[in-house]
């Protein structure tokens, strides 16, 4: 048996080679590939964060053969077009050279012998004349906008354009991009947008002319049976077995995310000393319990996110400390996070009324409605750090709903309980 590394079999957040699940019964790859078949429609691939949208799309349109843009890294329209030009190794200026030819003449004189075949030599002066062709050129250059250069180079390259996390761009920026690529799309050039489900109609909202021109591909929720395929394929490659109760726990706590399944089994194998294929089949015996492992994973994965959300945005004045009914205290950001955690929502949505009711149960005095709404709105803009591509929460101000978009953070809300019990959180 070929020895394989555990980290190459279970690949959370990456492109798995051995444990990729094609989900052929849904026909997702074939449907996505149709974007290259002169579809003449903008393709929107929608599904929860870490549900496999990017893995699926990279399978069909690998980064080596497409222009991939991370929407979370785009701050302006020029920023996006600049990335497109860079990936295509293009330029934003064109140069035109105009040439014309001129002729110059001259003569030279010197002493020498003139030899004529079959005749006697004669001495004298030799004079030679010559003509020289000279090329004279002029160069003119013309700057073009980043947008024009990017679109022209995309068209020439024939490479698909893929924008991940399209939903995190502002509506104004979304509209500008959709309007810019509209002509390419109508000409059959593949343009693929990746977004979360409740933002699947953004492309139509920002550009009415796209009505009927958007092909929606929804990523169906993963079933336990589909998720089980990952360890069912991966563990035999390591000559490892796992107890059925542990298998069931990991699958049930994955919140339907293949990324989390990959994370659980990789960590469980490594903690059990299985870092590569074993010579003989044997069960995994981890030092810590599966529950302790999940708690540790939660803390490692999303504690930075929690800390960033708990800090909130910088403010000039110190925030008011809120008294909890159980004796703890903390500012309103810490209180709202506790209220969300109480509901253990998974990857889904919470109505404003649910969050308000949870706050009422936790705090001695309920904050005013506008304070709660302001905090939720700010939280939806906060990233864990400068490298994070996108926030983990999305606040729908119009419908007063909070969407938990990241399964890693939702998992933290379920298994990172100790952090919510810390008293006297600093405001």
């Amino acid at each position: 048996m070929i020895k394989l590394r555990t980290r190459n079999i279970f690949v959370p957040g990456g492109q798995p080679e051995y444990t990729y699940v094609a989900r052929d019964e849904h026909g997702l790859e074939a449907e996505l590939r149709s974007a290259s078949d002169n579809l003449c429609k903008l393709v929107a691939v929608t599904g929860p964060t870490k549900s496999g949208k990017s893995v699926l799309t990279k399978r069909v349109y690998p980064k080596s053969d497409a222009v991939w843009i991370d929407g979370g890294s785009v701050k302006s329209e020029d920023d996006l077009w600049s990335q497109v030009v860079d990936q295509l190794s293009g330029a934003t200026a064109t140069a035109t050279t105009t040439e014309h030819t001129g002729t110059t003449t001259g003569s030279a004189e010197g002493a020498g012998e003139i030899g004529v075949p079959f005749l006697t030599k004669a001495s004298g002066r030799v004079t030679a004349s010559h003509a020289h062709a000279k090329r004279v050129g002029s160069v003119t250059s013309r700057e073009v906008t980043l947008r024009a250069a990017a679109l022209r180079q995309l068209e020439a390259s024939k490479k698909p354009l893929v924008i991940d996390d399209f939903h995190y761009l502002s509506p104004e920026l979304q509209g500008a991009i959709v309007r810019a690529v509209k002509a390419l799309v109508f000409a059959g050039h593949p343009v693929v947008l990746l977004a979360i489900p409740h933002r699947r109609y953004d492309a139509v909202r920002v550009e009415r002319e796209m009505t009927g021109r958007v092909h929606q591909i929804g990523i169906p929720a993963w079933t336990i049976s589909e998720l089980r395929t990952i360890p069912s394929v991966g563990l035999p490659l390591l000559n490892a077995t796992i107890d059925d109760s542990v298998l069931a726990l990991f699958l049930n706590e994955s919140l339907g995310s293949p990324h989390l399944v990959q994370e659980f089994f990789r960590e469980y194998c490594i903690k059990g000393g299985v870092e590569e294929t074993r010579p003989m089949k044997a069960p995994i015996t981890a030092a810590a319990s599966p529950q302790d492992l999940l708690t540790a994973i939660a803390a490692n994965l999303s504690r930075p996110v929690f800390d960033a959300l708990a800090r909130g945005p910088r403010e000039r004045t110190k925030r008011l400390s809120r008294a909890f009914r159980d004796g703890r205290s903390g500012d309103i950001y810490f209180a709202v996070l506790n209220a969300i955690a109480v509901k253990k929502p998974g990857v889904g949505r919470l109505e404003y009324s649910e969050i308000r009711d949870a706050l009422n149960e936790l705090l001695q005095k309920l904050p005013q409605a506008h304070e709660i709404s302001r905090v939720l709105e700010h939280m939806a803009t906060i990233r864990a750090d400068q490298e994070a591509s996108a926030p983990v929460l999305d606040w729908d101000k119009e419908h007063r709903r909070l969407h938990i978009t990241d399964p890693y953070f939702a998992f933290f809300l379920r298994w990172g309980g100790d952090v919510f019990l810390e008293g006297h959180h600093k405001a």
Side-chain angles (χ1 to χ4, degrees):
M1 176 179 284
I2 299 175
K3 276 191 175 184
L4 297 172
R5 298 286 293 173
T6 298
R7 296 180 185 277
N8 293 332
I9 292 175
F10 297 116
V11 190
Q15 193 74 22
E17 178 183 355
Y18 300 101
T19 53
Y20 173 76
V21 183
R23 309 179 79 192
D24 292 330
E25 65 275 16
H26 299 293
L28 297 173
E29 288 189 18
E31 189 175 4
L32 182 54
R33 197 169 284 109
S34 69
S36 292
D37 193 23
N38 203 32
L39 184 64
C40 299
K41 288 186 177 183
L42 191 68
V43 175
V45 181
T46 60
T49 300
K50 298 179 178 67
S51 63
K53 298 187 303 296
S54 299
V55 171
L56 167 69
T57 307
K58 286 174 186 173
R59 187 86 172 184
V60 178
Y61 300 114
K63 286 191 173 183
S64 58
D65 300 327
V67 175
W68 271 77
I69 303 295
D70 177 6
S73 69
V74 174
K75 304 298 182 296
S76 66
E77 187 182 355
D78 277 354
D79 192 7
L80 181 136
W81 300 127
S82 177
Q83 291 186 46
V84 171
V85 170
D86 285 345
Q87 289 192 38
L88 293 173
S89 301
T92 58
T94 58
T96 303
T97 302
T98 304
E99 292 185 345
H100 63 273
T101 303
T103 302
T104 59
T105 59
S107 61
E109 185 177 277
E113 295 178 337
I114 302 173
V116 181
F118 307 112
L119 295 179
T120 59
K121 292 181 180 179
S123 61
R125 306 292 298 179
V126 179
T127 302
S129 64
H130 64 273
H132 178 67
K134 183 180 181 182
R135 289 186 175 183
V136 180
S138 60
V139 179
T140 58
S141 63
R142 181 169 63 91
E143 291 283 341
V144 294
T145 66
L146 276 169
R147 177 197 282 195
L151 293 175
R152 184 180 303 164
Q153 291 161 30
L154 270 172
E155 184 179 17
S157 71
K158 307 296 183 184
K159 285 190 173 185
L161 172 64
V162 181
I163 304 178
D164 205 350
D165 285 336
F166 181 73
H167 49 279
Y168 282 117
L169 304 180
S170 68
E172 295 75 21
L173 185 50
Q174 287 179 345
I177 293 169
V178 171
R179 284 189 289 274
V181 301
K182 188 167 57 177
L184 282 179
V185 170
F186 292 174
H189 194 98
V191 177
V192 182
L193 311 178
L194 278 59
I196 51 181
H198 64 281
R199 297 293 194 90
R200 62 187 178 275
Y201 297 118
D202 279 0
V204 176
R205 289 194 188 102
V206 299
E207 181 57 36
R208 290 299 176 187
E209 286 188 33
M210 296 306 296
T211 302
R213 294 279 197 169
V214 178
H215 182 70
Q216 301 280 354
I217 301 177
I219 304 296
W222 285 71
T223 65
I224 293 295
S225 177
E226 288 174 325
L227 293 171
R228 186 180 287 111
T229 304
I230 296 172
S232 296
V233 171
L235 291 175
L237 292 174
L238 294 170
N239 248 346
T241 62
I242 193 170
D243 188 83
D244 286 344
S245 63
V246 178
L247 175 65
L249 174 67
F250 287 172
L251 295 178
N252 289 330
E253 291 302 320
S254 68
L255 303 176
S257 169
H259 285 229
L260 277 174
V261 173
Q262 297 272 0
E263 188 81 47
F264 295 164
F265 284 93
R266 184 179 73 170
E267 290 304 306
Y268 194 67
C269 287
I270 291 174
K271 291 294 190 294
V274 184
E275 296 199 6
E276 63 181 16
T277 304
R278 290 175 162 183
M280 300 289 291
K281 181 179 288 189
I284 299 172
T285 54
S289 71
Q291 291 79 7
D292 289 342
L293 179 74
L294 293 180
T295 300
I297 290 174
N300 290 333
L301 287 179
S302 290
R303 178 61 189 264
V305 178
F306 173 86
D307 289 342
L309 292 172
R311 283 194 304 269
R314 292 183 179 180
E315 295 179 357
R316 292 182 179 179
T317 58
K318 188 176 181 179
R319 299 190 195 112
L320 176 67
S321 183
R322 315 278 172 161
F324 284 61
R325 294 183 187 273
D326 61 5
R328 291 178 297 151
S329 64
D331 66 22
I332 191 169
Y333 282 84
F334 183 69
V336 168
L337 282 171
N338 273 262
I340 296 171
V342 164
K343 295 299 180 179
K344 298 188 185 302
V347 180
R349 73 187 189 196
L350 285 175
E351 302 293 338
Y352 168 81
S353 58
E354 295 179 85
I355 300 171
R356 187 176 182 276
D357 290 344
L359 281 169
N360 196 35
E361 294 174 8
L362 287 169
L363 299 176
Q364 293 183 15
K365 183 179 179 182
L366 182 67
Q368 295 183 26
H370 74 274
E371 292 180 290
I372 302 172
S373 297
R374 177 179 59 84
V375 167
L376 292 171
E377 189 171 351
H378 282 172
M379 279 186 172
T381 67
I382 294 173
R383 307 175 186 207
D385 52 52
Q386 294 301 316
E387 285 73 38
S389 64
V392 298
L393 303 173
D394 189 36
W395 172 243
D396 184 345
K397 188 176 181 180
E398 181 182 354
H399 298 100
R400 294 166 68 81
R401 292 171 179 160
L402 182 71
H403 295 266
I404 290 82
T405 60
D406 191 302
Y408 278 33
F409 187 65
F411 172 70
F412 176 80
L413 295 177
R414 295 167 67 91
W415 286 88
D418 288 349
V419 74
F420 299 101
L421 297 177
E422 294 176 0
H424 304 286
H425 183 75
K426 292 182 181 180

